[in-house]
């Protein structure tokens, strides 16, 4: 059926695609092989096929839930795991992470995706090349590692954009991409929102007391957990660096505004006494000195210029205009 893929993976890692006619979980398992049932609910008919499968109702509700968060929950002889991967589908936002729901038992792994997830395709390509996992827990670890591989370039891109903004702040450029900075902070916060619980989900799965989780499976799961931990820490660092850059931008804007206000205040202080003198000499009453002298205008103008120069020198000496 379109949208449902059943892989039979032999212990040597060689995988073959099986028929999807079997709708009972007991019919999925094969002696000595791992069965991986992947359901892409974005394809027509895939959800109906999964609805018809006689799985445990709780498992089915978890696999088809409209909204999920990364978690790991044991149920009977299996484990329910929800993970998230960055959205690399064309036209979508990377921070709109795609969920991967899994029901994991000793010999059967059921994975469900509501949208295309490239990490799943990466693992399937490995199975097709004869490099498949040798157990259910190994398959979960590989999926988690591929999710981390796909997320790393996105986080590296955020770091590069933030480096550019930090260089602009250091160089004191007047035009800074504040909208770009806000986008970086938003993406980092949204990605970390799922990376941190995903780390906890993998850590929980790695310590579950299931007999089919072998020691080397736990080692791979620890590796996947450490990768998720590192990604979450990088997102924390990006968020903190973005906050520092934002504070530096605001400090630079405040300093620029204070400098401009200082200049305006000094100019106002220079022209205040000059305006007082010109206003006093411009009153229309009798007895004004020099009213009949043709040289009075030039004498007053020269006096105002001298007063203005004296005020400029005084403010400059006080350090309010340029350097002392």
């Amino acid at each position: 059926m379109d949208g449902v893929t059943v892989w039979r993976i032999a212990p040597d890692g060689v995988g073959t695609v099986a028929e999807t006619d079997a709708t009972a979980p007991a019919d999925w398992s094969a002696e000595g092989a791992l069965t991986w049932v992947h359901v892409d609910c974005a394809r027509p008919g895939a959800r109906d096929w999964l609805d018809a499968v006689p799985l445990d109702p709780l498992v089915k509700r978890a696999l088809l839930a409209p909204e999920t968060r990364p978690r790991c929950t044991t149920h009977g002889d299996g484990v329910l795991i929800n993970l998230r991967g960055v959205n690399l589908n064309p036209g979508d936002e990377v921070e709109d992470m795609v969920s991967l729901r899994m029901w994991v038992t000793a010999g059967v792994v059921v994975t469900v995706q509501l949208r295309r997830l490239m990490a799943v395709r990466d693992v399937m390509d490995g199975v097709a090349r004869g490099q498949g996992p040798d157990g259910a827990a190994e398959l979960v670890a590989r999926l988690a590692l591929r999710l981390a591989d796909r997320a790393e370039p996105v986080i590296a891109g955020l770091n590069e954009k933030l480096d550019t903004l930090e260089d602009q702040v250091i160089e004191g450029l007047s035009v800074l991409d504040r909208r770009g900075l806000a986008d970086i902070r938003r993406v980092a916060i949204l990605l970390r929102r799922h990376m941190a619980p995903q780390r906890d989900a993998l850590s929980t799965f790695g310590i579950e007391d299931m007999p089919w989780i072998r020691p080397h499976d736990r080692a791979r799961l620890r590796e996947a957990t450490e990768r998720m931990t590192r990604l979450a820490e990088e997102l924390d660092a990006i968020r903190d660096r973005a906050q520092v850059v934002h504070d530096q931008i605001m400090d630079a804007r405040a300093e620029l505004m204070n400098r401009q206000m200082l200049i305006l205040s000094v100019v106002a202080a220079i022209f205040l006494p000059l305006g007082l003198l010109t206003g006093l000499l411009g009153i229309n009453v009798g007895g004004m000195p020099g009213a009949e002298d043709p040289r009075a205008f030039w004498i007053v103008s020269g006096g105002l210029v001298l007063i203005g120069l004296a005020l400029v020198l005084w403010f400059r000496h006080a350090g309010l205009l340029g350097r002392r």
Side-chain angles (χ1 to χ4, degrees):
M1 173 178 289
D2 187 27
V4 180
T5 307
V6 179
W7 287 94
R8 307 284 193 195
I9 306 174
D12 60 357
V14 177
T16 57
V17 179
E19 297 294 332
T20 59
D21 296 338
T23 56
D27 299 332
W28 293 342
S29 59
E31 187 66 27
L34 171 66
T35 301
W36 177 17
V37 182
H38 180 66
V39 183
D40 185 358
C41 289
R43 301 288 187 88
R47 183 183 290 269
D48 296 334
W49 184 89
L50 189 60
D51 284 333
V53 172
L55 280 172
D56 185 292
L58 186 145
V59 174
K60 192 177 296 186
R61 284 197 302 270
L63 293 176
L64 294 175
E67 294 293 336
T68 63
R69 284 183 60 81
R71 64 166 185 158
C72 175
T73 306
T74 58
H75 181 68
D77 59 349
V79 181
L80 280 167
I81 306 175
N82 291 334
L83 300 179
R84 289 264 181 160
V86 293
N87 191 347
L88 300 177
N89 295 314
D92 293 342
E93 300 291 339
V94 293
E95 66 272 15
D96 185 16
M97 301 185 75
V98 181
S99 63
L100 179 65
R101 304 99 184 278
M102 292 181 279
W103 168 242
V104 188
T105 59
V108 178
V109 177
V110 181
T111 59
V112 177
Q113 66 181 32
L114 302 186
R115 290 175 290 174
R116 187 179 65 163
L117 197 56
M118 293 185 180
V120 176
R121 175 53 56 187
D122 294 339
V123 178
M124 284 188 177
D125 291 342
V127 174
R129 294 192 302 268
Q131 301 173 352
D134 61 354
E138 171 73 13
L139 175 57
V140 175
R142 289 197 182 191
L143 288 169
L145 288 169
R146 295 292 84 76
L147 290 173
D149 289 341
R150 289 291 185 174
E152 282 183 346
V154 175
I155 297 176
L158 293 177
N159 269 315
E160 291 177 1
K161 292 179 181 178
L162 193 55
D163 289 342
T164 301
L165 290 175
E166 287 179 334
D167 292 340
Q168 291 178 352
V169 171
I170 293 174
E171 293 173 0
L173 298 181
S174 59
V175 179
L176 295 173
D177 188 7
R178 288 186 294 159
R179 183 175 181 179
L181 178 62
D183 288 340
I184 292 173
R185 295 179 62 190
R186 178 180 59 83
V187 173
I189 291 171
L190 292 177
L191 290 179
R192 191 199 177 282
R193 178 184 176 187
H194 294 291
M195 288 294 182
Q198 188 151 302
R199 170 196 59 198
D200 298 336
L202 291 171
S203 177
T204 301
F205 181 61
I207 62 175
E208 289 293 349
D209 190 17
M210 291 292 178
W212 42 269
I213 304 180
R214 298 157 299 181
H216 72 275
D217 294 332
R218 299 185 191 277
R220 291 298 299 276
L221 289 169
R222 283 195 298 271
E223 180 184 354
T225 302
E226 290 174 359
R227 291 277 296 280
M228 288 298 173
T229 301
R230 183 171 60 83
L231 292 178
E233 290 174 350
E234 286 188 9
L235 290 171
D236 284 336
I238 289 173
R239 182 188 59 186
D240 294 341
R241 288 172 58 198
Q243 182 62 46
V244 171
V245 172
H246 178 266
D247 293 342
Q248 289 176 332
I249 292 175
M250 297 306 296
D251 290 344
R253 292 186 64 194
E255 182 179 356
L256 178 61
M257 184 174 294
N258 290 337
R259 188 160 56 246
Q260 292 173 343
M261 292 300 297
L262 176 62
I263 294 175
L264 290 176
S265 300
V266 169
V267 171
I270 291 174
F271 283 94
L272 181 62
L274 301 180
L276 175 62
L277 290 176
T278 55
L280 180 63
L281 295 176
I283 56 178
N284 192 17
V285 295
M288 290 298 299
E292 302 298 334
D293 190 346
R295 298 172 301 170
F297 171 77
W298 300 107
I299 294 173
V300 171
S301 297
L304 294 177
V305 170
L306 292 176
I307 294 174
L309 290 175
L311 290 172
V312 169
L313 293 176
W314 180 41
F315 284 125
R316 186 176 181 83
H317 180 74
L320 299 178
L321 282 176
R323 296 182 178 180
R324 297 183 57 178

